[in-house]
Amino acid sequence: MSPAEIKDALSEVITEIQTNSGLNCPILENSIVPANDIPSFDSKVWLVATTMLASKIETEIPDDENIFIGKESNKPMSLEEICEFVAKIIELKKAKSAAA
């Protein structure tokens, strides 16, 4: 799955969460940082968004992976960075499955 396909799915998830919460949702461009730029989109919501994304793209995202904060930088990631990170998770899972 490409980062662009993941972005489409994640954009749908974020928009749905914001709409259901009665909150505004900015235009979800690659440079937007959900943790900083989306109203009330905080760590409590990230888990729900991650679960919804995993369901939408039909892949498991490990519980210990925070897709919204960079593992090494410990800083919030942009939408583009999140999608690239999730694409890498998917690639690693496929590689592990193929090796098994």
Side-chain angles (χ1 to χ4, degrees), residues 30-45:
N30 282 337
S31 62
I32 198 163
V33 178
N36 294 339
D37 302 331
I38 300 176
S40 299
F41 197 80
D42 58 21
S43 60
K44 294 175 187 173
V45 179

Side-chain angles (χ1 to χ4, degrees), residues 26-70:
I27 295 171
L28 299 173
E29 299 174 354
N30 282 337
S31 62
I32 198 163
V33 178
N36 294 339
D37 302 331
I38 300 176
S40 299
F41 197 80
D42 58 21
S43 60
K44 294 175 187 173
V45 179
W46 300 343
L47 180 59
V48 174
T50 302
T51 302
M52 289 173 67
L53 176 63
S55 177
K56 190 171 279 292
I57 62 175
E58 298 179 349
T59 193
E60 182 182 332
I61 298 173
D63 291 337
D64 62 343
E65 293 289 359
N66 184 343
I67 66 171
F68 295 97
I69 302 291

Side-chain angles (χ1 to χ4, degrees), residues 17-35:
I17 288 171
Q18 292 302 104
T19 300
N20 290 344
S21 300
L23 298 167
N24 289 332
C25 187
I27 295 171
L28 299 173
E29 299 174 354
N30 282 337
S31 62
I32 198 163
V33 178

